[in-house]
Amino acid sequence: MNEWDVAEKAYSDEVISEIAERYNFSAEKTNFKDVIHKGAVYFEMFSESDANYTPEKLGAEQKHLEKEVAKIRQFQEALGLESYSRRKLKEPAPNPFMEKVLEIAYAAMRHQNPSILEVELYRLQHDRTQLSDALTQILYDDEDQIDDLKGRRRGRPSNRTTFEFVSRLSRFWQSELKRPLKFDSHQGELLTDAAHFIKDCAEPLVPLTNSQVISMMRKVRG
């Protein structure tokens, strides 16, 4: 059974429709099915490889990400965009095109050509704020992964794949549904729709405790 088979088994049309109905949005009129299937595929692909990483591989990946972070900062400077740090990151405004902008940004990174970003964004009628948000999101994710790799090299268990899955769900909730990403709790109980949504979506793939949901969402918010 490959990763897509696992994703489609965990998140059948029935499961997806049930979650959408519970949280009052249309699975057909949103990108929800694609978001959750891609998130599940990523989770399956990288969970096993993460478990088998050697210290040497962890170190090599850390160096790769550190170079990518430096490249993002060069792009930001070349395009006259504000340079963010994960620890100073402000929550970006909801952006329904974030996934597409991220895709374009990663393509530009691969080609080492920041002008690709502006040309494609102009073609798609996106603005520089969305470009800034996209680069900030990549920077945020990379710096989180670097922190995770440093911890794993010291023997701490990884939560990278789970965090990436929660990040995808959080972006969908905030950017496509335009709902606040709040994670209030009381005596260990989740009090917000956003937190319950994350927990319910994760349940078929990687069941999370309430404290894990809050921890992951806090990390997503920065």
Side-chain angles (χ1 to χ4, degrees):
M1 183 179 292
N2 64 31
E3 292 85 4
W4 280 103
D5 291 335
V6 172
E8 289 175 0
K9 181 177 180 180
Y11 297 101
S12 64
D13 288 345
E14 182 180 355
V15 169
I16 288 172
S17 295
E18 182 182 328
I19 293 173
E21 183 177 351
R22 190 179 308 155
Y23 292 96
N24 196 29
F25 66 88
S26 170
E28 289 74 25
K29 294 180 181 179
T30 63
N31 202 32
F32 181 55
K33 183 175 182 178
D34 188 53
V35 167
I36 206 161
H37 276 175
K38 284 183 178 177
V41 167
Y42 177 95
F43 183 91
E44 288 297 321
M45 285 175 61
F46 290 97
S47 289
E48 184 174 351
S49 63
D50 277 357
N52 295 325
Y53 261 36
T54 64
E56 291 76 18
K57 288 182 179 180
L58 292 173
E61 183 171 352
Q62 181 180 328
K63 287 181 180 178
H64 167 75
L65 288 170
E66 286 170 345
K67 288 180 180 178
E68 186 169 283
V69 165
K71 192 186 298 183
I72 293 170
R73 295 196 185 283
Q74 290 175 356
F75 274 32
Q76 289 172 325
E77 183 177 352
L79 298 172
L81 301 173
E82 182 178 356
S83 179
Y84 291 87
S85 165
R86 180 174 64 83
R87 291 160 186 82
K88 296 180 181 178
L89 178 66
K90 295 179 181 178
E91 183 179 342
N95 176 4
F97 304 105
M98 178 59 82
E99 291 297 327
K100 184 61 180 176
V101 177
L102 281 170
E103 182 182 324
I104 295 167
Y106 276 118
M109 295 281 291
R110 286 195 299 274
H111 291 90
Q112 301 187 30
N113 184 356
S115 65
I116 292 176
L117 289 167
E118 292 201 300
V119 170
E120 285 297 300
L121 291 171
Y122 178 80
R123 184 176 67 82
L124 293 169
Q125 298 183 335
H126 297 331
D127 60 30
R128 290 173 65 82
T129 299
Q130 293 172 336
L131 170 56
S132 181
D133 287 351
L135 288 175
T136 298
Q137 185 67 57
I138 297 172
L139 192 64
Y140 179 98
D141 290 345
D142 281 357
E143 290 186 333
D144 259 332
Q145 286 187 49
I146 289 170
D147 283 353
D148 182 62
L149 288 166
K150 288 178 179 177
R152 289 164 67 191
R153 294 177 73 183
R154 293 192 297 267
R156 186 180 69 198
S158 173
N159 61 10
R160 180 180 70 155
T161 51
T162 304
F163 173 71
E164 171 63 22
F165 188 59
V166 171
S167 294
R168 287 173 182 267
L169 295 170
S170 299
R171 286 200 294 269
F172 171 80
W173 181 267
Q174 191 175 20
S175 298
E176 190 159 350
L177 298 184
K178 295 184 173 62
R179 299 180 187 179
L181 192 65
K182 296 181 179 180
F183 46 87
D184 301 334
S185 65
H186 178 67
Q187 295 182 345
E189 294 299 316
L190 303 177
L191 299 179
T192 67
D193 282 347
H196 281 290
F197 172 74
I198 297 296
K199 184 170 184 177
D200 287 349
C201 287
E203 184 68 26
L205 185 70
V206 51
L208 300 174
T209 65
N210 290 350
S211 62
Q212 286 175 317
V213 170
I214 293 168
S215 175
M216 291 284 177
M217 292 181 72
R218 182 175 288 116
K219 195 173 179 182
V220 168
R221 282 282 297 271

